[in-house]
Amino acid sequence: MTTITTHEAKTHLSRYLAEVEQGKEYIIARGKHAVAMLVPVPAEQKKARPKVGETLDPPFDIPDSAFAPLTEEELKEWGL
């Protein structure tokens, strides 16, 4: 890793950014003390968007009992 001063970083920032894009890393120092690192950002991995109508979750079955009529007791519980 190459060490550069804050003055160099400000003066030649575009050049350093181009080199960082190619994988190079820099330490930026104020005087003799390192204060920052200029490193490439990891590439963002885009998630594929689902197509219209495509389900994201696994399918599930609705049992036939879900469509059965309510019993008299259940109707009373619901106040019907």
Side-chain angles (χ1 to χ4, degrees), residues 50-66:
K51 294 183 168 90
V52 174
E54 182 180 4
T55 60
L56 301 177
D57 297 320
F60 58 91
D61 292 321
I62 299 174
D64 290 334
S65 62

Side-chain angles (χ1 to χ4, degrees), residues 7 13 23-24 26 35 38 43 50 59 64 74:
H7 177 71
L13 183 60
K24 192 161 182 179
Y26 290 96
V35 293
L38 190 58
D64 290 334
E74 292 170 329

Side-chain angles (χ1 to χ4, degrees), residues 2-73:
T2 306
T3 302
I4 58 175
T5 65
T6 54
H7 177 71
E8 287 177 293
K10 290 190 301 185
T11 305
H12 304 289
L13 183 60
S14 295
R15 184 182 84 196
Y16 290 127
L17 289 177
E19 292 176 5
V20 166
E21 286 178 321
Q22 296 174 3
K24 192 161 182 179
E25 298 180 350
Y26 290 96
I27 294 176
I28 302 173
R30 182 179 292 133
K32 293 184 179 184
H33 300 285
V35 293
M37 288 180 60
L38 190 58
V39 297
V41 175
E44 182 181 327
Q45 295 180 359
K46 292 189 176 186
K47 249 173 103 174
R49 291 180 59 185
K51 294 183 168 90
V52 174
E54 182 180 4
T55 60
L56 301 177
D57 297 320
F60 58 91
D61 292 321
I62 299 174
D64 290 334
S65 62
F67 300 105
L70 297 175
T71 64
E72 290 296 323
E73 187 177 305

